[in-house]
C-alpha cells in the first residue's frame, strides 16, 4: 500500500477556501486517489476521487500533481458542517479486491 | 435511495460471548466491506465480500468472520469476545470491487465488551 502524509490538523475560517494537502510519493501508476471524511460520531463519507486529472464535484475539488506524488483537496467555502477528519487514500484499481487503508487523516476545524 | 444500514446500532456483550452484526448495502451494490475503528488503531480493514465470496481479509484473528448472502446483505461474527474488541464496526458498500468506485459507509455498530 502507498504511504500517505497529511497534516495532523488544520484550521479554517468559515466561508473561506480550504486546501488540504496529501503526500503520496509511493503511489503506483494505477492507484486512484480517494478522499473521505468522517464527522464526529458518524461513519466515513466519500468526498471525491481521481486518477490523473483534476476532478470537481458538488462537495469539493481534487487537484492532483502532474507526477501524482501529491494531491490537494479543495473545499471552496468552508462551513461548520465541514469540520471533520479528512482522509487521503491511494486505492489500488486492479481487478483484484479493493480495500481502503485509512491513515490518521487531517482534523479540520472551522472557526465561525 | 436508502443508504447503508447496520443493525444493531449499539451492543453490549461480556467477554467470551459471541456477536453477530448485520449490514444491508445500498440497493444494487454487490460488494460489502467491513472495518473496525478504535481510538488506538484507527480505521482498519476487516474483510471484503463480493458475490457471496470473501475476496480479501485484513490482519485480524480467526475469531472474526463474515459472510454475504445472495441478496448482498452481509453479516460479521466475532466469537470469544475480548475487551479489545470494543470498537465501532463499520460496513461499506460499493457497486462492484475496484478503486474506480466509491464506498458508502453505514453509521456503524458500537460494540462494548465488558
Amino acid at each position: 500500500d502507498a504511504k500517505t502524509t497529511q497534516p495532523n490538523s488544520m484550521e479554517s475560517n468559515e466561508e473561506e477556501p480550504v486546501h488540504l494537502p496529501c503526500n503520496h510519493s509511493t503511489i503506483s501508476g494505477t492507484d486512484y486517489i480517494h478522499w473521505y471524511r468522517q464527522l464526529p460520531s458518524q461513519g466515513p463519507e466519500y468526498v471525491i476521487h481521481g486518477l490523473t486529472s483534476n476532478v470537481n464535484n458538488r462537495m469539493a475539488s481534487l487537484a492532483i500533481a502532474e507526477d501524482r506524488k501529491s494531491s490537494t483537496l479543495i473545499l471552496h467555502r468552508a462551513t461548520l458542517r465541514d469540520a471533520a477528519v479528512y482522509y487521503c487514500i491511494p486505492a489500488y484499481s486492479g481487478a483484484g479486491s479493493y480495500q481502503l487503508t485509512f491513515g490518521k487523516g487531517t482534523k479540520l476545524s472551522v472557526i465561525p | 435511495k436508502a443508504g447503508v444500514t447496520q443493525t444493531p446500532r449499539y451492543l453490549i456483550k461480556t467477554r467470551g460471548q459471541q456477536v453477530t452484526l448485520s449490514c444491508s448495502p445500498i440497493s444494487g451494490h454487490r460488494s460489502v466491506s467491513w472495518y473496525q475503528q478504535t481510538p488506538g488503531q484507527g480505521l482498519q480493514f476487516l474483510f471484503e465480500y463480493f458475490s457471496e465470496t470473501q475476496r480479501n481479509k485484513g490482519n485480524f484473528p480467526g475469531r472474526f468472520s463474515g459472510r454475504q448472502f445472495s441478496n448482498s446483505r452481509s453479516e460479521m461474527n466475532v466469537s470469544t469476545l475480548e475487551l479489545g474488541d470494543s470498537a465501532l464496526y463499520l460496513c461499506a458498500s460499493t457497486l462492484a470491487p475496484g478503486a474506480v468506485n466509491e464506498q458508502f459507509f453505514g453509521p456503524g455498530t458500537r460494540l462494548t465488551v465488558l
Side-chain angles (χ1 to χ4, degrees), chain A residues 32 34 36 38 43-44 46 49 87 91-100 102, chain B residues 33 35 37 43 45 48 55-56 90 94 97-103 105-107:
Chain A
Y32 278 78
H34 284 242
Y36 287 76
Q38 189 171 24
Y46 166 78
H49 74 294
Y87 298 95
Y92 174 63
S93 66
S97 69
Y98 162 37
Q99 69 184 73
L100 298 175
F102 288 81
Chain B
S33 298
Y35 296 82
Q37 185 171 29
L43 272 153
F45 171 77
E48 178 202 8
R55 293 166 53 87
N56 196 10
L90 293 154
T94 188
V100 65
N101 297 309
E102 60 266 43
Q103 292 196 3
F105 285 80

Side-chain angles (χ1 to χ4, degrees), chain A residues 41-111:
Chain A
S41 304
Q42 294 188 25
E45 175 185 32
Y46 166 78
V47 178
I48 199 166
H49 74 294
L51 185 60
T52 55
S53 305
N54 294 344
V55 185
N56 300 294
N57 65 19
R58 63 174 182 80
M59 286 182 71
S61 295
L62 176 60
I64 301 171
E66 197 170 330
D67 62 6
R68 290 186 12 99
K69 293 183 185 300
S70 65
S71 62
T72 301
L73 178 70
I74 303 163
L75 306 179
H76 297 287
R77 285 178 72 243
T79 68
L80 296 178
R81 193 195 174 276
D82 292 322
V85 179
Y86 286 78
Y87 298 95
C88 160
I89 307 170
Y92 174 63
S93 66
S97 69
Y98 162 37
Q99 69 184 73
L100 298 175
T101 302
F102 288 81
K104 297 192 182 302
T106 296
K107 184 174 182 179
L108 175 67
S109 301
V110 180
I111 303 166

Side-chain angles (χ1 to χ4, degrees), chain B residues 5 10-11 19 43 49 56-57 61-62 74 83 85 104 114:
Chain B
T5 57
Y10 301 92
L11 206 48
V19 66
L43 272 153
Y49 286 89
N56 196 10
K57 189 175 194 301
S74 177
L83 295 179
D85 297 332
F104 295 87
L114 303 175

Side-chain angles (χ1 to χ4, degrees), chain B residues 54-75:
Chain B
Q54 186 181 90
R55 293 166 53 87
N56 196 10
K57 189 175 194 301
N59 189 25
F60 280 83
R63 300 185 296 107
F64 291 80
S65 63
R67 58 179 176 168
Q68 186 182 33
F69 302 95
S70 58
N71 61 359
S72 295
R73 192 177 68 84
S74 177
E75 288 180 348

Side-chain angles (χ1 to χ4, degrees), chain B:
Chain B
K1 189 185 272 192
V4 177
T5 57
Q6 293 188 244
T7 56
R9 292 291 312 278
Y10 301 92
L11 206 48
I12 299 175
K13 292 284 188 180
T14 56
R15 279 180 297 175
Q17 288 187 308
Q18 77 164 15
V19 66
T20 299
L21 312 181
S22 181
C23 171
S24 292
I26 290 172
S27 177
H29 284 196
R30 297 172 60 201
S31 176
V32 172
S33 298
W34 288 88
Y35 296 82
Q36 181 198 64
Q37 185 171 29
T38 60
Q41 299 297 319
L43 272 153
Q44 294 185 284
F45 171 77
L46 277 159
F47 22 66
E48 178 202 8
Y49 286 89
F50 176 67
S51 293
E52 301 177 66
T53 301
Q54 186 181 90
R55 293 166 53 87
N56 196 10
K57 189 175 194 301
N59 189 25
F60 280 83
R63 300 185 296 107
F64 291 80
S65 63
R67 58 179 176 168
Q68 186 182 33
F69 302 95
S70 58
N71 61 359
S72 295
R73 192 177 68 84
S74 177
E75 288 180 348
M76 66 162 282
N77 183 277
V78 187
S79 62
T80 320
L81 284 166
E82 300 177 0
L83 295 179
D85 297 332
S86 294
L88 180 66
Y89 290 88
L90 293 154
C91 166
S93 79
T94 188
L95 201 58
V100 65
N101 297 309
E102 60 266 43
Q103 292 196 3
F104 295 87
F105 285 80
T109 294
R110 173 76 61 184
L111 172 65
T112 301
V113 182
L114 303 175

